[in-house]
Each structure stands twice: as structure tokens, then as C-alpha cells.
Amino acid sequence: MYHMKKILGVFVLASAFILSGCSLSQMIKKASEQNLTVTPSPLEMHADTVDFTMSALLPVNMLKKGKVYTLKTTYKYSDKSLALPDIEFKYEDYPNQKTQQPQVSKKFSFPYNEEMRRGDLVIQGEASSPNGKSKSTPEMPLAVGVITTSEMVKDYHYVAYAAHGFSKEPEIQKINVDFFFQQGRSNLRNSELKSDRGNKFNAYIAEKNLTKTVTIVGNHSPEGSETINTGLSNSRAEVVKKEYIRRMKRYDYKDMADSINFVLKPIVQDWSMFKKKLAASEDFSNDEKIAINDVIDNGGGANFVETEKMLKSKMPKVYKRLFDKIYPDLRVAKTEIIQLIPKKTDEEIAALAVLIREGSAPTDTLNEEELAYAATLTADLSEKEKLYRAATKESDSWQSHNNLGAALLERAKLENDMDAKMKMVDDAITHFDISLNKKQNPEAYSNKGLAELMKSENNYKALSMFTSGLQASPSSVLSEGINAMKGVSEIKVAKYNDAVNSFANANEDPVTVYNSALAQLLKKDFGTAKTEFDDAIAADAGNAHAYYGAAVTAARMGDADTMAKHLAKSIELDSSLRERAINDLEFEKYFETDGFKNAIK
């Protein structure tokens, strides 16, 4: 009996294997009717990544109970292969599969590298049982890859210098000195001349500063007759003028004195200064100030004499305080000297800058503005760097650190040694950070974004810097430059709509016009791309990439003749584009046409 059961068990097990194998074979046979689509096809690279969607539609009644059907996806390139996630179909997940086709749509993504430019996306179906038995379909190609049009973006470098602040236009500064007089007198006392005010007056004249105008305003207090006050105002102004001229002779001004314009302004019967002094005084209450002003404005006579009599008679105690506290400050000659600030010539600044660069003169030989201006007078980037470095030692300002970083970026752009280039960029970033720590300024944000683009490590960080730069109230010119670079970074992170908007607010540099057209192509607005590539060609007829982009656009639009014409011109201008075109899947459907073959000759 036991022997018979053992035979029966072996028979049942064998039958199960036969039935299982049968089911798997049936599934694999049915798999020939499956419908698989890939979008986009050919595959495309955006932001250094290949993204695609695969949709699978199985025939009805293909799945078998207890069995699994798996779609295994692989990207094969060169002699390598990249396995992608599986798609599994289980009988239990599709209870209506006998009448409804099982379907699924799955997104795939893998990082792109240059070796993957030409390859095949292949799929293989596998039917399997829990016992480990399986059968597979042959490998089937689904799509080719990879289109890399997005990498044709051109880098744009806009280096932003903070304004140097130096002006060659004449500038003036005002020096004010007041001399006070005794009641009813106009002689300039020794005590006034030896006061701090007198010493300031004397020191200014002794330095032989370049002086344009000396305005002397003679004033008087309210007491006294009109005739006396008029004479006092005139004579007080005149005596200060005579003292100025006397001191010019002492310091041997010679012809310099003739260039100074003296303006004398005697102030008579004017209560303005009185009211100003009264308002600022703490020796009078608000009610007293109101009463005094009421007499002056409404109760007084037509001149100082009558008004002062009223003040004296109506409020004798208040008048006594006026006489002691306010009147002395009104017996004054106010001197305003308009000095022309001496400016160094370009030649002088350039010569001193050489001494500073060579270490033969201290950095403070020129001030910060002059150092920054000196840097604009030389085309030598190494010399610029030295001058801006000297400026950081002179002032340690946000402008000097930004400008030093900017000079380093410009040097890095021309450096062929990659290690040396990246060291300059890193040094520049350090100074942009120092600048931003001192003040949030659009120039340093913009330059730091450019530095990040040049490092090609983090395009999102570059984009963040450009965004901050635009939020920091840049000038219109800087704003256009930032937008031109921001659009580049947005293409590199596959934000094509944003890039289009950025380029719309950017400058009209030929590189910017080209990048804008490329953004339109990448967002698949082919009509606008066609127009903008025409604009890019008009802006720079030697831009081979503009013709190439126009050829790709024509290919996308199905215009074979225009495609061939522009492709031929691009290769004529840049022969390296021939190899790109031969392998570019943008032209896949034209590879065998005469137009394409003639264009790549």
C-alpha cells in the first residue's frame, strides 16, 4: 500500500510539473500579442537624466493562477548593460483579466553618461512559477537612445563688478566757520581768531585748498536802528573777507587768489535766524515762544525797531532773557567755503597703481574708490586682481571683496589648466561669501551663481544664487545679465518654461538669443523655436550651433529640405558637428535620405 501511495505521489508531482510547464509556455506564447510602448522614443536626456514612461498592455486571459509574468527592462550600450526595475503582473491583481486586458504604465529614470549616447532599450518577458520554474521570451528592442539636444546650451558669463564710486566730474565740499561779534560792533576779536573756529579757518587757508567760492553772511541782532543794523551786517561780512584775504597773502596764494569768488550777503530785518534760535532754545517755555512769535508776526511794526520796542514793553522779563540768550548768537558772520575736491588724473592714478602693485607704495596711497577705478584702467587681469586685493586690505568692504572675486572669475575663464581654474573659482566664491556677509548685494549673488555654473557641480545652487540676485534690487543692466545666466541654469535642470521666461527678461547678447531658441525647442514649441533660431543666426551668422538647432527644429517639424540646408551650413562652420549629426537620433528618420547624406559630406 505504501509503495502504491509513493508511486501515486510521484505521478501527481510529475503531472503538476507538466501542467506548470504547459501554463508557462502558454503565457509566453500569448506574450507575443502584448503591446509595449515607450515615451519618448527615441529616449531623451534632460538635466543629466534619462526619463521615460513604458506602457504595457497584455492580451486577455494571458495570466495563469499562481504564476507571475515579469517584464525585465535593460538599457544596453557599448559592451555594458543597465538593468532597470521590473514590472510584474500577477493573476491575483487582475481578477477581470479573462475579459479585460491587464495594463500598467511605469516611469523609469536613470543617470546619463556620455557612453550611453547610442544604445538600445530592450525588454524580455518571463513567466515564472513559485517552484522556480520559468520560461522567457526573446529580448525585444523597444527604443533607441539617447537624444542629447539639451546639452547644446551655451554657457554665458556675465561678471558683475560693484561700482568703483570714483567720479572725474568736479566735486565740492562745504566748510562752515562762524565768527561772533559784540553788540553793535564789527571788529573781529583776537579771541575769535584764536578759538577752535578761528584755528579751523586758518588751517583751511594754510593748506591752499582749491577753493571756488567763499560766501559770507553778515547778520545782526534785533536791537538798534535800521541804519546801524544795515551797516553792521555789511561790515561784519566785509571784515571776515578782509581777514581771509590777509591770510591768503601770508600763505603766498599769488594767482590762486584771483580764482576765488567772494560773495557777501548782509542780512537785514530778517527774523528767520531769530525764530530758529528761539525754537531750539530750552530757556523759554512753549507759551513764551508762542507769545514772542505772536508779537513778531502780528503785533510788531514794519521793522525791527518797532517790533523790538513791543517785545520790550509787553514782556520785559522775557525780553531780558532774549537779550542774554538769543541775541548774542545773532551777532555773527557765517562763512561758507565751497572747496573743489582735488582729483587725481587718470595718469596719476595709473602710475600710483603700478607702485602699489609692485609693493613700492602702501595700499592707502590711493583710496578705495581710486583703487577700484585704477583697476578699470588696465586690461591685464592679473593687475586687476592685485589692485582689488589691495582694495580689500584698504577697506575690507563688500564692494572690494566682490570685485576681487569677479577678477578671479575672469582669470578662471581664460585658464586652460582645470585644477588652476577651479582653484581660482573656489577663491572667488570665498570672496563672494565675504561680500554677502557684509551686505546682501546682487553683484555677489550673481557672481557666485556664475561660479557655481563654472564648477558644473550644482546647477540648482547656481539657480538659487541667480534668484537671490534678482531679489536684491539689481540695476536693469545687471538684472538682464542675471536672467541670461539664470536661463542657462534652468535649461541645465530641465526647467524649460522657466528658462523661456528668464530669457525674455535677459539681454540681447547673441549667446542669449541662441539659448532662448534652444529653450523653445526643448519645450517643444517648434514654431517659436524656428523663429528664434532665425534670430540667433541673424545675431551671429558664425554660430554653427544656431544652424544646427534650426536643423533639429526642422527635423522635428518634418521639413526635410530646411533640415538639410541648415545642417549643411552648421557643418560648414564647425566640422566637429558632422560626427554629432551622424549619431544624433534627432535625425534618425532622415539617416537614409539623400538630403541628410549630402549635408554631412
Side-chain angles (χ1 to χ4, degrees):
M1 179 65 69
Y2 171 78
H3 181 69
M4 289 297 293
K5 285 181 179 179
K6 186 176 180 181
I7 293 173
L8 182 59
V10 172
F11 176 75
V12 170
L13 184 61
S15 298
F17 272 111
I18 293 169
L19 289 172
S20 174
C22 233
S23 297
L24 296 178
S25 297
Q26 290 173 358
M27 290 174 67
I28 293 302
K29 184 177 180 180
K30 275 275 191 181
S32 62
E33 301 173 23
Q34 65 190 358
N35 187 357
L36 305 176
T37 58
V38 173
T39 306
S41 180
L43 302 179
E44 298 178 7
M45 181 272 286
H46 299 280
D48 298 325
T49 302
V50 178
D51 294 314
F52 65 93
T53 300
M54 186 166 70
S55 298
L57 184 65
L58 302 186
V60 295
N61 206 26
M62 173 180 164
L63 301 178
K64 304 301 179 184
K65 190 173 183 179
K67 308 295 186 292
V68 178
Y69 181 67
T70 303
L71 290 172
K72 296 182 176 295
T73 309
T74 307
Y75 185 70
K76 294 189 173 185
Y77 60 99
S78 300
D79 58 348
K80 301 175 183 178
S81 63
L82 175 67
L84 300 173
D86 295 339
I87 300 177
E88 287 189 343
F89 291 87
K90 296 180 180 179
Y91 177 88
E92 294 76 15
D93 294 335
Y94 298 92
N96 300 321
Q97 68 103 23
K98 289 187 177 180
T99 57
Q100 293 181 3
Q101 290 180 276
Q103 61 180 339
V104 71
S105 182
K106 183 178 178 63
K107 292 183 177 180
F108 292 84
S109 180
F110 61 87
Y112 174 82
N113 65 61
E114 187 62 27
E115 288 183 292
M116 295 176 174
R117 184 180 294 275
R118 291 305 300 267
D120 294 290
L121 185 71
V122 298
I123 193 97
Q124 186 172 39
E126 180 187 84
S128 60
S129 297
N131 60 16
K133 191 171 183 180
S134 65
K135 288 185 176 291
S136 300
T137 68
E139 279 190 343
M140 296 172 284
L142 284 183
V144 292
V146 176
I147 285 176
T148 60
T149 303
S150 61
E151 71 180 5
M152 292 187 69
V153 61
K154 282 182 173 288
D155 285 331
Y156 177 73
H157 295 166
Y158 183 92
V159 179
Y161 287 92
H164 50 68
F166 179 81
S167 172
K168 293 196 287 185
E169 297 299 316
E171 291 184 61
I172 64 170
Q173 67 178 2
K174 297 180 180 179
I175 290 85
N176 295 289
V177 180
D178 295 344
F179 290 111
F180 295 93
F181 298 84
Q182 291 178 311
Q183 180 184 1
R185 306 188 68 176
S186 60
N187 61 301
L188 200 53
R189 293 169 293 166
N190 283 332
S191 59
E192 284 294 293
L193 294 173
K194 292 179 180 179
S195 67
D196 290 342
R197 300 184 306 281
N199 290 333
K200 176 182 177 182
F201 181 76
N202 185 66
Y204 177 83
I205 299 172
E207 290 175 359
K208 293 186 178 181
N209 291 293
L210 188 59
T211 303
K212 183 178 182 181
T213 305
V214 179
T215 301
I216 307 170
V217 179
N219 210 331
H220 66 87
S221 55
E223 79 276 8
S225 69
E226 182 178 349
T227 302
I228 291 174
N229 287 334
T230 301
L232 280 174
S233 295
N234 278 316
S235 59
R236 284 169 178 170
E238 187 66 40
V239 76
V240 174
K241 174 185 175 181
K242 287 180 180 178
E243 182 63 25
Y244 199 111
I245 292 172
R246 185 179 72 81
R247 290 175 186 254
M248 284 196 298
K249 289 179 180 178
R250 176 193 296 178
Y251 296 116
D252 196 21
Y253 266 60
K254 295 183 179 178
D255 295 339
M256 290 176 62
D258 297 335
S259 65
I260 299 176
N261 180 31
F262 284 92
V263 179
L264 303 186
K265 291 183 178 181
I267 302 296
V268 183
Q269 307 285 0
D270 189 334
W271 290 95
S272 300
M273 186 179 292
F274 176 94
K275 288 184 175 183
K276 184 177 179 180
K277 296 286 185 182
L278 178 63
S281 175
E282 297 180 357
D283 295 309
F284 300 86
S285 68
N286 286 335
D287 288 342
E288 288 173 333
K289 291 178 181 179
I290 291 170
I292 294 168
N293 280 307
D294 185 59
V295 170
I296 294 170
D297 295 335
N298 302 309
N303 55 43
F304 268 35
V305 176
E306 292 183 22
T307 303
E308 196 199 14
K309 283 180 180 178
M310 258 184 140
L311 286 170
K312 193 172 183 179
S313 63
K314 280 192 170 189
M315 46 187 78
K317 292 183 178 179
V318 172
Y319 177 79
K320 178 67 170 64
R321 271 184 286 136
L322 284 173
F323 195 88
D324 293 338
K325 302 295 183 180
I326 301 296
Y327 281 19
D329 286 346
L330 302 179
R331 303 167 189 140
V332 65
K334 302 180 77 65
T335 307
E336 180 183 81
I337 304 169
I338 305 298
Q339 176 194 356
L340 286 170
I341 299 174
K343 296 286 186 74
K344 298 181 181 69
T345 65
D346 285 3
E347 292 74 16
E348 290 172 326
I349 290 175
L352 291 172
V354 170
L355 296 177
I356 292 171
R357 290 198 307 268
E358 293 175 348
S360 302
T363 57
D364 61 2
T365 302
L366 296 174
N367 62 34
E368 180 185 2
E369 290 79 12
E370 290 168 336
L371 278 169
Y373 178 64
T376 69
L377 300 177
T378 177
D380 189 302
L381 293 177
S382 179
E383 291 179 1
K384 281 183 187 289
E385 179 192 340
K386 289 177 182 177
L387 288 172
Y388 286 130
R389 200 174 291 280
T392 63
K393 296 175 182 177
E394 169 69 16
S395 65
D396 193 34
S397 66
W398 71 264
Q399 295 97 326
S400 62
H401 283 285
N402 173 77
N403 291 349
L404 173 55
L408 287 166
L409 282 191
E410 289 211 277
R411 286 192 64 195
K413 284 163 54 180
L414 303 176
E415 179 59 58
N416 293 321
D417 182 274
M418 189 54 63
D419 289 339
K421 178 191 286 283
M422 288 302 103
K423 184 180 185 306
M424 289 179 190
V425 172
D426 286 336
D427 288 348
I429 288 175
T430 297
H431 287 285
F432 298 141
D433 285 338
I434 295 173
S435 178
L436 289 169
N437 284 333
K438 293 179 177 295
K439 180 185 176 182
Q440 305 295 294
N441 66 91
E443 290 86 356
Y445 275 126
S446 175
N447 288 332
K448 188 174 179 181
L450 172 57
E452 295 294 345
L453 276 183
M454 291 172 70
K455 290 183 72 172
S456 299
E457 291 178 358
N458 193 333
N459 293 315
Y460 287 97
K461 189 171 184 179
L463 179 55
S464 174
M465 291 297 105
F466 294 136
T467 300
S468 295
L470 291 173
Q471 293 171 347
S473 302
S475 67
S476 58
V477 173
L478 177 55
S479 176
E480 290 177 352
I482 293 174
N483 272 304
M485 296 186 292
K486 180 170 175 276
V488 171
S489 65
E490 285 162 340
I491 286 179
K492 291 187 175 184
V493 299
K495 293 186 175 183
Y496 304 130
N497 286 323
D498 291 347
V500 167
N501 291 332
S502 293
F503 291 131
N505 294 295
N507 55 36
E508 295 184 0
D509 185 276
V511 173
T512 301
V513 178
Y514 163 79
N515 283 334
S516 179
L518 179 64
Q520 297 286 4
L521 169 60
L522 294 169
K523 73 185 283 281
K524 296 180 169 50
D525 185 347
F526 303 128
T528 304
K530 180 180 185 299
T531 299
E532 292 199 9
F533 275 122
D534 288 342
D535 293 341
I537 290 168
D540 181 6
N543 184 355
H545 284 73
Y547 286 99
Y548 195 96
V552 171
T553 302
R556 293 270 184 145
M557 298 177 76
D559 186 348
D561 292 340
T562 302
M563 176 276 297
K565 179 184 72 172
H566 286 313
L567 184 58
K569 183 64 176 178
S570 72
I571 294 172
E572 176 188 328
L573 292 169
D574 182 355
S575 60
S576 69
L577 292 175
R578 177 181 289 105
E579 182 178 354
R580 179 183 180 91
I582 290 171
N583 293 287
D584 195 341
L585 294 171
E586 291 279 15
F587 305 114
E588 181 189 24
K589 66 180 180 180
Y590 299 101
F591 282 163
E592 300 305 319
T593 65
D594 291 338
F596 180 82
K597 291 178 179 178
N598 290 330
I600 63 173
K601 281 183 178 177

